[in-house]
Amino acid sequence: MSDFDVRKAYCMEKVTFYDDIEDTSVDFYVVEQTKLNGETYLLVTEDESEEAEAFILREVRSENDEITYEMVEDELEITALGKVFAELLDEDTDIQF
């Protein structure tokens, strides 16, 4: 899995995701959100530090409209989405992948 290093220059919304398989929860800070080819993606980090490892999550809707998120792991998809997020973020934010 490729991760991103993100330097952020603004405050982010904190969200908690629950992993029912592992029976744990993890807090992420949402850096940015985008839609691509009808799918919604989140760029998230685990902390608000100057340099933080970031991940891309894909929104998945079930047949009964329940929303879950899964990590994007495909290298080509990560590269394409990284370029999209880099364009969306302000010039004070640096993404390296």
Side-chain angles (χ1 to χ4, degrees):
M1 169 188 346
S2 285
D3 303 326
F4 294 90
D5 286 324
V6 178
R7 290 187 178 162
K8 299 165 292 305
Y10 50 89
C11 196
M12 295 167 285
E13 177 184 357
K14 181 178 175 181
V15 294
T16 301
F17 290 93
Y18 180 73
D19 183 343
D20 56 355
I21 295 171
E22 299 289 326
D23 194 31
T24 59
S25 62
V26 63
D27 292 332
F28 284 118
Y29 295 90
V30 179
V31 177
E32 187 61 79
Q33 177 180 348
T34 192
K35 278 195 168 219
L36 185 63
N37 296 327
E39 300 218 44
T40 300
Y41 297 91
L42 301 177
L43 178 65
V44 300
T45 65
E46 290 186 272
D47 62 55
E48 290 184 294
S49 66
E50 279 289 315
E51 291 189 36
E53 190 173 75
F55 309 95
I56 298 176
L57 304 177
R58 177 188 308 107
E59 182 179 287
V60 179
R61 286 187 181 261
S62 68
E63 291 178 8
N64 60 356
D65 275 343
E66 181 178 303
I67 297 174
T68 59
Y69 289 88
E70 61 185 28
M71 291 273 190
V72 174
E73 296 186 19
D74 178 78
E75 293 295 325
L76 292 175
E77 190 175 13
I78 289 171
T79 300
L81 288 164
K83 291 176 184 178
V84 171
F85 282 121
E87 289 182 21
L88 291 173
L89 296 169
D90 62 41
E91 58 195 42
D92 293 331
T93 304
D94 180 34
I95 296 182
Q96 300 171 2
F97 57 97

